[in-house]
Each structure stands twice: as C-alpha cells, then as structure tokens.
Amino acid sequence: MLGPMARSLVVKVTAGADAPERCAQAFTVAATAVAAGVDVSLWLTGESTWFALPGRAQEFELPHSAPLPELLHVILTAGRVTACTQCAARRDIGPEDVIPGVRIAGAAVFVEEALAEGAQALVY
C-alpha cells in the first residue's frame, strides 16, 4: 500500500470524450494518487475542459472504467482541479460556469506547479 509522499503529482489531461481511454486514465491516476495521500493537481485542457462544467462528467461513459463523476469528486475533495484559461475561453467557459472548487488558470501556473521541487508531471 502506498503511503503519503512528499512529492506532488501534476496531471494534465488533453483528451475528453474524443479519446475516452486516455481521458479516463488521467482521471484514474489522479484519483488514485489522491487516495494514496499524494498532493495532486489535475489540469483540464483541450476537450477535457468540458468536465469543468456541472453535469458534464456524468455524460462520460467508458466500459470497465470507474465513473468519471466519482473520480472527479475524489480529486476535488483532496486535490486541485484547474481548467486551462485559453481552453476555457475557446469554449466560452468562465469562472462563474465551473463546478465549485475548479479554478481557471494559465500556462504560467501550470509551469510553476510542474517545476516545483518534488513535483512529477504527467500528460495524457
């Protein structure tokens, strides 16, 4: 069993319903890390940005995968979820539109998190 770790994990998911397996893998890894006590930051970019909106995760289906709403809930409970500024703007998503707990931030914040001491960044 994994215990709490001093390292942090930054997961950038670049796919949504357009590439469901890649999307689900990112959410699964992030939620698993949160459950193991890791400091996790999940970044929603590209088509995954839609999952920042209420109800959108419920529309996602992938056989033999944990339900996306449950994974997102786990991550929001003890980690951070960020929607990319440009990705959100291209989809007319503003701060008032997103699920409580989801922030909108840009590349500078992603770079800061990814390059922090002890951070490991994964891109799906």
Side-chain angles (χ1 to χ4, degrees), residues 23-32 34 42 57 60 65-77 81:
C23 176
Q25 288 168 359
F27 276 82
T28 300
V29 167
T32 301
V34 165
L42 178 70
F60 182 89
S65 179
L68 206 64
E70 291 177 19
L71 297 172
L72 182 57
H73 175 74
V74 167
I75 300 161
L76 281 169
T77 299
V81 178

Side-chain angles (χ1 to χ4, degrees), residues 41-113:
S41 178
L42 178 70
W43 282 73
L44 306 174
T45 68
E47 285 299 294
S48 73
T49 307
W50 291 115
F51 298 127
L53 296 176
R56 283 300 186 95
Q58 285 79 356
E59 298 171 9
F60 182 89
E61 290 186 17
L62 181 64
H64 309 291
S65 179
L68 206 64
E70 291 177 19
L71 297 172
L72 182 57
H73 175 74
V74 167
I75 300 161
L76 281 169
T77 299
R80 291 176 307 288
V81 178
T82 306
C84 160
T85 300
Q86 290 183 17
C87 301
R90 281 190 281 276
R91 290 160 179 82
D92 293 319
I93 297 171
E96 67 284 353
D97 301 315
V98 300
I99 297 167
V102 174
R103 67 178 175 170
I104 296 177
V109 177
F110 176 79
V111 169
E112 180 181 336
E113 287 186 5

Side-chain angles (χ1 to χ4, degrees), residues 10-39:
V10 181
V11 179
K12 179 186 268 194
V13 55
T14 62
D18 57 325
E21 287 184 299
R22 196 166 71 227
C23 176
Q25 288 168 359
F27 276 82
T28 300
V29 167
T32 301
V34 165
V38 178
D39 177 31

